[in-house]
Amino acid sequence: DAGVTQSPTHLIKTRGQQVTLRCSPKSGHDTVSWYQQALGQGPQFIFQYYEEEERQRGNFPDRFSGHQFPNYSSELNVNALLLGDSALYLCASTLGQGLLQQYFGPGTRLTVT
Amino acid sequence: AQKVTQAQTEISVVEKEDVTLDCVYETRDTTYYLFWYKQPPSGELVFLIRRNSFDEQNEISGRYSWNFQKSTSSFNFTITASQVVDSAVYFCALSVGNNDMRFGAGTRLTVKP
């Protein structure tokens, strides 16, 4: 039973660039959420996708956008990267909307220089 | 507003000692969920427990136990007879209305042999 997978594992970008992170949910799950975890802090909820639409959003600027594909996989896009965007980006999946039964992936470590 | 406070940044114990991780939460809602997650060095968050606000029963699962007290807004986590494999960062989290999840800053637990 495949768990949540994310790619790439690590990424280095320069300020002002754009980045795309990818997530494949656990088998049987149809909902994907994204979190940002800065060093030494807890994860912060970015948004959740269900039925290919953004359903819920945390307190993040419009530079953060996403997409969900018909196979339930998802992308997180961040435009105009700032140094403060350096973090571990975690993807979590669940069946149906909501956050109560999430399975997390190993994350993508983004470094902005 | 919802908030989770984990006052203990780091804890170090010797194997076989008992250790309690503290979690204090804030919310004005009467319906909410509390969680504990473990984050090993590999990065993914591992779900440990979920409690809803109407269930104050303490729970024991093997060497793990949880003490939920609404009167003090606390949801503490105890590991009995700690083992080296328990070394990780532990996060307490709060979800209100299944729309958002707020994590504490985490407690880094180191269990020395």
Side-chain angles (χ1 to χ4, degrees):
Chain A
D1 180 16
V4 179
T5 59
Q6 293 185 242
S7 63
T9 305
H10 296 90
L11 202 53
I12 300 175
K13 289 287 188 177
T14 304
R15 269 182 306 176
Q17 286 187 319
Q18 178 264 345
V19 69
T20 297
L21 311 182
R22 295 175 176 80
C23 171
S24 291
K26 177 179 168 64
S27 178
H29 286 183
D30 58 6
T31 303
V32 172
S33 298
W34 286 93
Y35 293 80
Q36 180 195 66
Q37 185 179 11
L39 198 61
Q41 297 182 24
Q44 290 190 60
F45 175 72
I46 303 175
F47 43 52
Q48 183 179 73
Y49 274 83
Y50 172 69
E51 293 186 337
E52 302 180 45
E53 289 189 15
E54 182 182 300
R55 300 292 180 166
Q56 301 169 39
R57 190 180 183 93
N59 189 24
F60 278 80
D62 292 344
R63 297 187 298 109
F64 290 77
S65 63
H67 188 78
Q68 186 178 34
F69 299 93
N71 67 352
Y72 308 122
S73 66
S74 176
E75 290 181 348
L76 164 66
N77 301 294
V78 186
N79 294 323
L81 284 167
L82 303 174
L83 295 179
D85 295 331
S86 295
L88 179 68
Y89 288 85
L90 294 165
C91 170
S93 72
T94 187
L95 179 61
Q97 291 187 73
L99 305 172
L100 301 185
Q101 201 76 17
Q102 298 182 95
Y103 289 79
F104 283 82
T108 294
R109 173 72 62 185
L110 172 65
T111 301
V112 182
T113 62
Chain B
Q2 288 77 41
K3 184 179 177 182
V4 176
T5 301
Q6 294 180 256
Q8 303 151 310
T9 305
E10 295 191 31
I11 300 177
S12 180
V13 299
V14 177
E15 208 170 18
K16 298 185 182 177
E17 284 186 18
D18 298 347
V19 58
T20 295
L21 310 182
D22 297 334
C23 173
V24 174
Y25 62 93
E26 295 176 31
T27 179
R28 294 180 180 176
D29 289 80
T30 56
T31 302
Y32 52 88
Y33 293 85
L34 294 164
F35 304 77
W36 276 96
Y37 284 89
K38 174 182 181 180
Q39 188 174 43
S42 53
E44 79 278 12
L45 289 170
V46 177
F47 169 82
L48 296 178
I49 191 172
R50 179 181 75 231
R51 261 285 177 268
N52 73 56
S53 52
F54 299 107
D55 183 2
E56 281 194 79
Q57 276 193 335
N58 292 331
E59 179 153 340
I60 298 174
S61 177
R63 296 184 297 107
Y64 295 171
S65 62
W66 291 269
N67 184 355
F68 177 24
Q69 290 194 337
K70 289 177 73 172
S71 60
T72 56
S73 297
S74 64
F75 186 42
N76 296 336
F77 172 32
T78 297
I79 301 175
T80 303
S82 60
Q83 299 176 2
V84 173
V85 293
D86 295 327
S87 297
V89 181
Y90 290 86
F91 291 97
C92 180
L94 166 69
S95 180
V96 175
N98 204 15
N99 294 325
D100 188 7
M101 183 170 280
R102 301 293 177 96
F103 285 82
T107 297
R108 180 177 298 279
L109 174 65
T110 302
V111 182
K112 299 177 181 177

